[in-house]
Amino acid sequence: MFEYFPGNYVWNLSVVGALNSGGQIDEIDRACRPLLEAAKAGSDAGTDEFLRVWTDLTDALVELARVEEKAGHDRTAGGMYARAANYLCTAERMLSAGHPDRVPTYRRVLELAQKGFDLRDHSITRVAIPFEDTTLPAYFSAAPATSEGPAPVIMLINGLDSTKEHMYCSGFWAELADRGISCLMLDQPGSGEALRLQGLIARRESETWASWVVDWLTARNDVDTARMGVVGWSLGGYYSPRVAAFEKRFALCVAWGANHNWGAVQRRRLDREGEHPVPHYWDHVKWVWGYDDLDEFIEFADSIHLDGVVDKITVPFLIVHGENDRQIPLEYAHRSYEQAVNAPSRDLRIFTRQEGGAEHIGIDHLPHVGAYIADWVTDTFAAMVPQPTG
């Protein structure tokens, strides 16, 4: 992985994620140069300064976007707003759970992403999915194929610290759209807007909220209800197999990072084995899951695994993992594959250092990994269409 800040994995993860989600290396380099010294103090220290320089970058880009928008250059301006959302989202992700700038910064991310939709990415709309006594926020990307009739759809699930805006900036929805597949980018309980603005904490039983989403999808006239799939990255690599195991209306499943035993990963992190994805890590996970006491959380986390779950998946199942994933052990990818004995087809794809995509969720070469998944999804959906005879 490209390491702008030598020895600071968490900050490097953010930089590489921003670069592989549409960021420009010149803009990011100019923002990060003042942080080189601060990065030496570790991932938790210096996050205020990180926010400041990335906010300055965002501000400068927004000013340029406004000039282009005023000149009627909507596509150019929309691209700038989308890139600004990417940069500010990167900074917001680094803040501690209770940081006073966290919510205001995230609200601005929402505004910048919406400008990107309005001016450039017109196929994406903001939606609210009924869930219990509230709603789940999401973005729906309608593939061009929906102009001709219902299209297949992927529900894309977040990880521990990502948001639907990260999904938008990643461009994975566009890879799917170009292949005739729509995409629902979801902030499920414990992630993104659902957590930050609605206070919805994570649930171990991901099928509970996924079923509400499926109800919503099946009510749309632009969705091919026989070809709905679920893809989850990072902690979504735990959520998505569980969804597919218990919500049988999904026709395929992808674990984008084999998070087979997330509870065991927490034990390893307590022992300082493996890398943290974000600064202020233990405050973050307690916030996500709604715990105040770390010992109580760790005891609960022991139950977050896929043993006895993956064998209930009865649809095509793809597991992708990086051979140098410093967060989730590679052995978990093999464990998920070995236990998926009732899937009609199962595929395991390990991305190597030589080709790229070897880090967590392939963040070091995200477009390469995303394109592979999009192709697998396309091929798998295509095989579900009855072929004419005679």
Side-chain angles (χ1 to χ4, degrees):
M1 183 171 74
F2 170 60
E3 299 198 358
Y4 193 95
F5 303 108
N8 192 327
Y9 172 83
V10 175
W11 287 30
N12 290 328
L13 194 72
S14 292
V15 170
V16 170
L19 283 169
N20 280 328
S21 298
Q24 298 296 317
I25 192 167
D26 174 66
E27 293 172 339
I28 291 175
D29 177 47
R30 282 187 279 119
C32 286
R33 283 184 194 180
L35 294 172
L36 285 168
E37 191 62 33
K40 297 176 183 178
S43 61
D44 287 9
T47 49
D48 282 330
E49 191 172 353
F50 194 99
L51 175 65
R52 179 182 60 78
V53 300
W54 284 72
T55 299
D56 288 346
L57 171 59
T58 300
D59 292 343
L61 195 53
V62 166
E63 286 304 310
L64 291 174
R66 287 171 177 164
V67 172
E68 297 296 341
E69 184 180 6
K70 188 175 181 179
H73 303 153
D74 286 359
R75 180 168 180 79
T76 299
M80 289 177 171
Y81 282 121
R83 210 154 69 245
N86 177 16
Y87 296 152
L88 198 59
C89 204
T90 298
E92 187 271 348
R93 177 181 168 275
M94 301 284 277
L95 299 175
S96 62
H99 196 288
D101 288 330
R102 181 137 211 178
V103 168
T105 301
Y106 183 70
R107 288 189 184 277
R108 190 181 182 200
V109 169
L110 294 176
E111 294 171 1
L112 293 171
Q114 188 62 51
K115 293 290 285 187
F117 306 156
D118 294 342
L119 295 173
R120 188 190 65 170
D121 297 318
H122 306 293
S123 66
I124 300 179
T125 55
R126 178 182 170 86
V127 297
I129 300 168
F131 171 62
E132 296 179 347
D133 59 353
T134 182
T135 58
L136 296 178
Y139 298 140
F140 187 79
S141 160
T146 57
S147 64
E148 301 174 3
V153 67
I154 286 296
M155 178 177 76
L156 184 57
I157 299 175
N158 268 317
L160 177 74
D161 49 83
S162 58
T163 68
K164 64 187 181 303
E165 290 72 41
H166 287 106
M167 296 175 178
Y168 164 55
C169 294
S170 76
F172 182 64
W173 61 272
E175 290 285 346
L176 293 173
D178 288 344
R179 292 164 171 81
I181 301 168
S182 298
C183 183
L184 181 73
M185 296 166 268
L186 181 69
D187 276 341
Q188 78 272 6
S191 74
E193 186 177 348
L195 175 66
R196 287 156 175 76
L197 303 187
Q198 297 174 239
L200 296 176
I201 60 173
R203 296 193 184 185
R204 176 181 53 201
E205 296 81 7
S206 50
E207 66 275 14
T208 57
W209 46 260
S211 292
W212 288 78
V213 178
V214 177
D215 289 344
W216 182 85
L217 286 170
T218 56
R220 294 181 64 101
N221 59 16
D222 57 356
V223 168
D224 180 350
T225 57
R227 292 188 293 167
M228 300 185 295
V230 55
V231 177
W233 67 22
S234 195
L235 183 54
Y238 161 80
Y239 290 134
S240 60
R242 181 165 182 118
V243 166
F246 297 111
E247 175 45 80
K248 296 299 183 180
R249 288 176 288 179
F250 283 109
L252 61 78
C253 175
V254 179
W256 191 337
N259 227 319
H260 189 96
N261 194 332
W262 192 76
V265 170
Q266 307 319 298
R267 294 282 182 181
R268 291 176 67 245
R269 287 173 176 164
L270 278 178
D271 293 334
R272 301 185 181 276
E273 298 176 12
E275 297 285 0
H276 292 175
V278 290
H280 320 286
Y281 179 73
W282 295 113
D283 285 343
H284 185 88
V285 291
K286 288 188 293 180
W287 177 45
V288 167
W289 292 96
Y291 278 81
D292 296 320
D293 183 83
L294 181 59
D295 290 338
E296 291 180 3
F297 164 74
I298 291 296
E299 184 176 350
F300 162 76
D302 286 338
S303 66
I304 303 174
H305 61 78
L306 294 172
D307 292 332
V309 173
V310 172
D311 64 323
K312 295 179 174 60
I313 295 175
T314 54
V315 295
F317 183 33
L318 170 66
I319 304 151
V320 299
H321 208 85
E323 72 169 359
N324 193 47
D325 190 326
R326 288 179 260 177
Q327 296 185 42
I328 308 299
L330 176 57
E331 66 184 85
Y332 289 166
H334 293 284
R335 188 178 302 180
S336 283
Y337 179 81
E338 291 162 1
Q339 292 184 10
V341 293
N342 291 310
S345 63
R346 50 181 169 163
D347 295 285
L348 173 60
R349 177 67 158 88
I350 307 299
F351 287 86
T352 67
R353 294 175 178 88
Q354 183 176 4
E355 68 176 308
E359 293 286 342
H360 183 61
I361 69 166
I363 195 73
D364 53 308
H365 199 344
L366 197 62
H368 177 49
V369 178
Y372 177 86
I373 294 171
D375 283 339
W376 183 91
V377 167
T378 302
D379 293 345
T380 305
F381 276 148
M384 297 175 186
V385 179
Q387 299 300 311
T389 58

